[in-house]
Amino acid sequence: MALLPILHYPDTRLHTVAAPVTEVNEAVRTLARDMAETMYAAPGIGLAATQVNVHQRLIVVDISEDQSELLVLINPEIFERDGEQVYEEGCLSVPGIYDKVTRAEHIRVRALGLDGKPFEMDATDLLSVCIQHEVDHLDGKVFVEYLSQLKQGRIRTKLAKLARISA
Ligand code: QAP
Ligand code: CO
């Protein structure tokens, strides 16, 4: 097991579009385990491979209170979206920043599991927000890009200052 370093906005590597996983092998399973460990240690409720500088389509999500409901989605595809909800989002790549984002209320998702087998699932509420947020990372998109240019500028300035202090 290993904790992986997380990229921080505005690192341009967060804008990389991830490539599909071509084979669910031991290396992919190890990556999923290390990502779950990294997410739980933070603690967080979702992490995309992009955030640990691996540009493959893999996300881990666990919205349970007690880290008991890990979901690993490989090559996730959201193929239905209905309704709207607003949720105050955060991101392990944008520490200390939280803001409201409007997304679909209900989604249907197709993905491969750790066994390499395809499955489909429904998600609503927080789980739906979390999956949409993480799939955005795989497409090179960070949640702050839904905010106004003014807010994005302020967030960049704040995180650049923090990065200088911790360097
Ligand atoms: C994405 O985010 C998410 O700023 C996952 O200092 C967030 O796990 C989806 C975190 C909200 C839906 C709703 C953020 C931890 C964790 C921070 C996270 C921080 C420490 C964020
Ligand atoms: Co995020």
Side-chain angles (χ1 to χ4, degrees):
M1 300 277 268
L3 290 183
L4 306 170
I6 297 176
L7 300 178
H8 286 151
Y9 184 84
D11 192 313
T12 56
R13 291 172 291 182
L14 287 170
H15 302 309
T16 311
V17 177
V21 171
T22 53
E23 186 196 353
V24 181
N25 55 24
E26 214 40 53
V28 170
R29 281 186 279 271
T30 299
L31 172 63
R33 265 198 300 277
D34 290 346
M35 283 173 55
E37 196 190 1
T38 303
M39 170 179 77
Y40 287 139
I45 58 170
L47 187 69
T50 308
Q51 293 175 272
V52 295
N53 201 28
V54 175
H55 302 288
Q56 296 186 35
R57 304 190 76 84
L58 193 162
I59 68 175
V60 295
V61 170
D62 189 341
I63 60 158
S64 72
E65 294 280 324
D66 55 355
Q67 310 192 335
S68 64
E69 289 167 35
L70 179 65
L71 272 173
V72 177
L73 304 187
I74 299 166
N75 297 342
E77 282 177 60
I78 299 171
F79 64 94
E80 266 182 51
R81 304 169 187 260
D82 313 281
E84 266 192 13
Q85 61 177 325
V86 178
Y87 200 93
E88 177 117 338
E89 297 187 18
C91 179
L92 287 171
S93 292
V94 197
I97 306 287
Y98 302 86
D99 214 327
K100 287 177 186 156
V101 177
T102 303
R103 298 190 188 268
E105 157 60 18
H106 167 242
I107 58 172
R108 287 188 55 73
V109 188
R110 197 172 6 248
L112 302 178
L114 278 179
D115 56 4
K117 292 188 180 142
F119 67 95
E120 289 182 5
M121 61 178 285
D122 273 86
T124 58
D125 303 294
L126 177 58
L127 182 59
S128 166
V129 174
C130 199
I131 292 171
Q132 292 175 73
H133 175 118
E134 301 311 332
V135 171
D136 268 356
H137 277 299
L138 302 181
D139 291 324
K141 188 154 185 175
V142 181
F143 86 96
V144 299
E145 290 166 48
Y146 292 104
L147 308 177
S148 68
Q149 288 297 330
L150 176 66
K151 283 187 178 177
Q152 288 182 50
R154 286 178 179 157
I155 292 166
R156 280 171 177 273
T157 306
K158 186 168 168 186
L159 291 184
K161 272 185 194 152
L162 284 174
R164 261 204 311 279
I165 292 163
S166 64

